[in-house]
Structures are given as structure tokens and as C-alpha cells.
Amino acid sequence: MIEFKNVNKWYGTFQVLKECTSSVKKGEVVVICGPSGSGKSTLIKCVNGLEPFQEGEISVDGVSVGAKETNLPKLRSQIGMVFQNFELFPHKTAMQNICLAQIKVLGRSEDEANTRGQELLDRVGLGDLGYKYPSQLSGGQQQRVAIARGLAMDPIAMLFDEPTSALDPEMINEVLDVMQQLAKSGMTMMVVTHEMGFARRVADRVIFMDEGEIVEDATTDDFFGKPHSDRAQLFLSKILEH
Amino acid sequence: MNYNWNWGILFEEPYFDWLVSGVEWTLFVSAVAWIIAFSLGSIVGVARTVDSVPIRAVATAYVELFRNIPLIVQMFLWFYVVPEMVPDDWGRWMKRDMPFPEATSAIFCLGTYTASRVAEQVRAGIESIPVGQRAAGLAMGLTTVQVYRYLLVPVGYRIIVPPLTSEFLTIFKNSSLALTIGVAELLYQARQIENYTFQGFEAFTSVTLIYLVLTMIVVALMVSVEEKTKIPGYGIQKDK
């Protein structure tokens, strides 16, 4: 469903993505990991065109992201995205956050949007907190609202950009649990994360990146069983120890 | 000091009427200028934050032009110079047929000058919003215009209510410069009362107090705006 072909991207003269080629099938959960600055977040932001890229091709459900004639807002409305810092809108309640794009982009009525919003808040375990403003919620709660906000658009795929990196340790699991449920329900997901336990439990495939290159692209069992590159082995030995 | 205090003179005719009329002109010039400043300043301020380089350049040029020329010079330019620089027909219209030429010039001058300052505050407000907010809006399929309308502008304006209050106050105080091109506003009337009665202390004291009352009303108004638009739990929390 999501295809990358020889994607190259530069910031000025610095190359952040080098010949990235991979694909994500419908219903597949792919975890992308790697050290800081390896291009993981950049790669995932290229999928919905938040970051432009200079060479190569990315297509989502057959639509080319980089093509000039592509209606980016329409494509983006079909791909949910969850950010490291939640990015809930501070002047809107949790429910209004979930309803905004349903009403303004999908053209749903306020009632429809609210009904869908309530379903999703129930699903992420926050059914009675829809009236709260983001700053009145904990980090874990905010991130679950953000996931509900993404799901409200009935997306064909969900992108997660380090969804637990800004959270206190005790809140990480409540978010990962929601993501695990989502994966079980058959959602196509790309997840940038350092949570190797989550990757092991939930991912179908793991992509390991370093210095803008995809170094490993293996099934989860293969990746944790017998990583091929020295770089990936070194990375795993460092983060699996604690 | 040998001075005959006579506070009663302020309530005698025609001086009382002069003061009332001065207040009316001050309010009128300031209010209309503020409407121009707020709307034009909002457009220019937003324009300074968009991706398009030409739009940003035009907006930046506007700000630098209008905020870097002293206000009193701009008063003279609008009143004496602009009518000579525009096509003859327009110039004649501005000098002869335009209603209240002095006040109209003063309103345009104050409005366009203050707009440049409002624009900078609007820009600062929008730029203080984390870039992730824009990304989150775009990622859910909103267009750039929608991102501004529903996310950046509503949050940005809440952030700048305090400096906008100062700007709103400044426009009342700056309106006194309109006397230099002959607008019969409050300060103009104070000078006129002094010329006719030689009771300068009374005239200027009363005008000082009137400016103070007007600005305090504006402060109260803006405090209520700030209260009404406050985002629960957002920003620094004051102990109640």
C-alpha cells in the first residue's frame, strides 16, 4: 500500500535520505528504528508530504506523493499521523480536536462527528474526558486523544512518529496498548519508535536505518534473531541491555 | 506664583462644549484608526508568516516603511504631500471635496502606522506557535488557509492580547498628534481654551484626566477580552 522507490532527500548539501526503497503492505505493521539523526522521522514525514523529497518516488494506495498534480490535502486526510509532541490544538477540547477535520475536511455534520468522536474516545479509554482541554490532560491521555483524532478520519494507514518519546515512563504503556489494539484490528501502520518490546510484540517487519540508509529490512523474528549488519547489531546490543 | 485658579471655567460655555467635542473627535479618530490598524495589521502580519517569498517581501516592506518614519512626519506627509503626489483629479478631491480632510488624513495616517506595529505582534504571535501545530493541521488534510483560520490565528491572537492592549492604548495617545494638522481633538481644544482664557493649568489638567479615564476604559475592555478568550489550563497559571 505504501511504496518507497529510491527516495533521496537533501537539506542543502546534507543528504538525509539515501536510496530508500521499501514497501508496506495493507494491514502490515512496520517499525522503523535507528539512532538519532538516521532519517527515520524524515522518511515517515515524506509519506504524507509533510517533508518534500528531491528524488525517487513514494506512492500511497497508488497515488504518487511527490507528483505535482496530487491533491495533497485529500491524500493526507486518508493517512492518520501521530506526533512525538501530541500536537493537540490547545484552544479546542479533546472532542473538538477530534471533530475539527471530520467537519472541515470530510464535511461531516457536527452530530456525526461527535458520535464518531465519542466512539473513538471510548475506544482509547477516555470516554468521559471529551470536554477537557489538552493542557488539562496527562501526556498519555493527550497522545491517546491524538490517536483518536487520527482515526476519526477513517484513514487507510496510520503513521506514528516517536509516539512515546515525550512521555513519562508510566504513561508509555497506555499508549502502546492502544497502538497494539489498533494493529490487531488490521490497521496498516508505520511506527518510528525506540520501544523494542513493542516492535517485538506487534511489528510484522522492522526497518533499521542509519545515516539516511535503510540498513536492515527484515521480518521481526529475523531482525531480533539474527541481524545481519554490524551497525544494527551494535544498536540492538546498546538498547536491549536496559 | 501669582495665578488665579478657576476650575469652574471648565464648566462654562463655550469651553465645556469644546472639551466634549474634543473627546468626541479623539474617540472617533482613534476608533476608526484602530479598525484600520487591526484589520490591515492582521493581513500584513499573517502575510509575513506565509511560505510565499513575494508575499512576505511585500509585507516586510510595508512594515519597515510605516514603522520607521516618525508619526508626526507621516501626519504631514498624508495631509500636505500625498494630495500633491496623486493624479491631479484625486489631489483636488482630497483638498476640496473629501469630508473632514484633516480628520480623514489623520485617521489614515494613524491607522496605517499602527497597522505596521500590529502586524509585528501578529507575526510574533503566530511564530511563537510550535511548528508541529501547523504540521498536525496539514497532516489531517486541512489546507493552509484552514490551518491559519482554525489553528494559527485563534491561538496566535490569544497570545498577543497583552501587547495589543498597549497598541490600542497608544492609538488614543498618538491621536493627539492629529492637532498638528488641525484636527480639533482633545489636546487641540485644551490649547484653544488656554489661548482664550489663559487658564492653561486647568485646561491641561482636565485633558490629562480625560485621557487617563479613556485609556483605563480601554484597559478594562481588553482585560475582559483576555479573560473571555483564555484557554483553560494553557500558559502560565495564575493562583486565584
Side-chain angles (χ1 to χ4, degrees):
Chain A
M1 170 181 288
I2 304 172
E3 307 267 349
F4 302 86
K5 271 190 217 130
N6 306 99
V7 176
N8 284 305
K9 176 177 170 64
W10 288 264
Y11 285 126
T13 56
F14 180 72
Q15 190 165 6
V16 275
L17 295 178
K18 295 172 190 161
E19 295 292 323
C20 292
T21 301
S22 188
S23 67
V24 180
K25 289 199 280 286
K26 189 167 164 35
E28 207 175 18
V29 178
V30 173
V31 160
I32 305 171
C33 61
S36 303
S38 59
K40 319 177 288 282
S41 291
T42 310
L43 184 69
I44 204 172
K45 282 179 184 156
C46 285
V47 174
N48 62 357
L50 282 184
E51 289 278 356
F53 52 93
Q54 285 84 25
E55 280 176 14
E57 199 182 334
I58 299 178
S59 66
V60 178
D61 211 17
V63 180
S64 167
V65 178
K68 276 219 168 75
E69 65 274 15
T70 299
N71 180 347
L72 264 185
K74 180 156 185 281
L75 180 68
R76 285 167 175 157
S77 71
Q78 299 168 323
I79 309 170
M81 185 157 196
V82 174
F83 297 83
Q84 181 173 355
N85 293 316
F86 330 132
E87 305 301 353
L88 294 180
F89 308 131
H91 61 306
K92 295 191 173 294
T93 63
M95 183 59 99
Q96 289 168 340
N97 263 278
I98 297 173
C99 290
L100 178 71
Q102 291 190 68
I103 295 167
K104 302 300 175 193
V105 178
L106 300 182
R108 288 182 186 157
S109 72
E110 206 159 315
D111 283 348
E112 281 175 291
N114 276 312
T115 308
R116 183 81 180 112
Q118 192 56 51
E119 270 171 38
L120 288 163
L121 280 174
D122 289 337
R123 184 166 162 193
V124 299
L126 299 171
D128 49 353
L129 294 181
Y131 68 94
K132 292 265 191 187
Y133 284 87
S135 45
Q136 299 169 323
L137 298 170
S138 72
Q141 290 171 333
Q142 288 189 54
Q143 195 61 302
R144 285 187 281 157
V145 171
I147 293 172
R149 182 174 72 174
L151 293 174
M153 304 296 283
D154 298 320
I156 54 172
M158 287 284 287
L159 309 174
F160 295 83
D161 186 8
E162 303 208 29
T164 57
S165 299
L167 293 176
D168 289 341
E170 72 263 36
M171 292 172 184
I172 289 176
N173 278 333
E174 66 187 54
V175 172
L176 292 181
D177 287 347
V178 168
M179 290 169 63
Q180 189 165 352
Q181 280 173 28
L182 189 59
K184 271 201 195 124
S185 73
M187 177 60 73
T188 310
M189 292 164 63
M190 281 184 80
V191 185
V192 173
T193 186
H194 296 295
E195 297 293 332
M196 288 300 119
F198 172 82
R200 206 183 279 226
R201 278 199 313 279
V202 180
D204 298 305
R205 271 187 24 242
V206 178
I207 290 176
F208 175 77
M209 291 185 72
D210 190 25
E211 297 184 345
E213 274 176 294
I214 294 180
V215 181
E216 297 263 342
D217 185 347
T219 64
T220 306
D221 289 343
D222 280 354
F223 182 78
F224 288 105
K226 42 170 183 179
H228 307 284
S229 71
D230 294 347
R231 192 66 195 83
Q233 244 157 359
L234 185 68
F235 178 75
L236 280 177
S237 71
K238 275 188 186 158
I239 62 168
L240 288 182
E241 268 165 20
H242 55 86
Chain B
M1 190 172 74
N2 203 357
Y3 185 77
N4 282 323
W5 291 95
N6 181 5
W7 291 97
I9 194 136
L10 296 172
F11 298 97
E12 285 171 20
E13 295 305 341
Y15 312 119
F16 185 75
D17 271 359
W18 289 358
L19 282 176
V20 171
S21 152
V23 170
E24 284 169 1
W25 275 110
T26 290
L27 286 176
F28 179 71
V29 168
S30 308
V32 180
W34 179 248
I35 291 168
I36 294 173
F38 188 75
S39 15
L40 185 60
S42 298
I43 295 167
V44 174
V46 166
R48 286 204 77 182
T49 67
V50 298
D51 288 334
S52 156
V53 175
I55 292 179
R56 274 210 316 265
V58 170
T60 306
Y62 178 91
V63 168
E64 297 306 346
L65 179 68
F66 281 88
R67 76 169 170 184
N68 289 336
I69 301 172
L71 183 54
I72 194 164
V73 175
Q74 293 195 35
M75 282 282 174
F76 293 152
L77 286 175
W78 278 100
F79 190 60
Y80 296 113
V81 181
V82 170
E84 307 299 330
M85 287 172 64
V86 294
D88 282 354
D89 286 350
W90 298 11
R92 209 170 304 124
W93 181 81
M94 288 176 81
K95 282 182 275 192
R96 200 179 57 194
D97 299 329
M98 187 167 75
F100 308 110
E102 301 87 359
T104 307
S105 301
I107 285 168
F108 266 98
C109 173
L110 259 183
T112 50
Y113 168 78
T114 311
S116 70
R117 301 173 52 97
V118 170
E120 282 300 89
Q121 287 162 11
V122 168
R123 175 170 80 95
I126 289 174
E127 286 183 348
S128 72
I129 300 170
V131 285
Q133 290 277 304
R134 193 187 290 242
L138 292 174
M140 58 180 61
L142 296 177
T143 60
T144 303
V145 173
Q146 286 176 319
V147 167
Y148 272 95
R149 173 154 172 219
Y150 299 117
L151 309 179
L152 302 180
V153 167
V155 177
Y157 275 73
R158 283 172 166 91
I159 293 169
I160 60 166
V161 172
L164 270 186
T165 304
S166 300
E167 219 49 69
F168 199 3
L169 293 176
T170 302
I171 214 166
F172 282 93
K173 294 177 284 179
N174 278 347
S175 72
S176 59
L177 279 181
L179 86 91
T180 57
I181 56 173
V183 179
E185 47 70 67
L186 197 48
L187 189 60
Y188 179 100
Q189 298 293 10
R191 286 172 32 135
Q192 188 162 246
I193 292 172
E194 189 202 12
N195 288 342
Y196 276 71
T197 66
F198 300 105
Q199 302 291 346
F201 284 101
E202 291 86 342
F204 285 108
T205 307
S206 66
V207 161
T208 305
L209 290 175
I210 291 170
Y211 275 118
L212 210 58
V213 169
L214 290 182
T215 49
M216 292 311 282
I217 292 170
V218 172
V219 169
L221 183 79
M222 292 301 279
V223 166
S224 85
V225 167
E226 197 173 349
E227 280 297 312
K228 284 217 176 72
T229 58
K230 199 165 67 184
I231 302 169
Y234 189 65
I236 296 165
Q237 298 297 299
K238 279 182 234 157
D239 289 329
K240 282 274 161 85

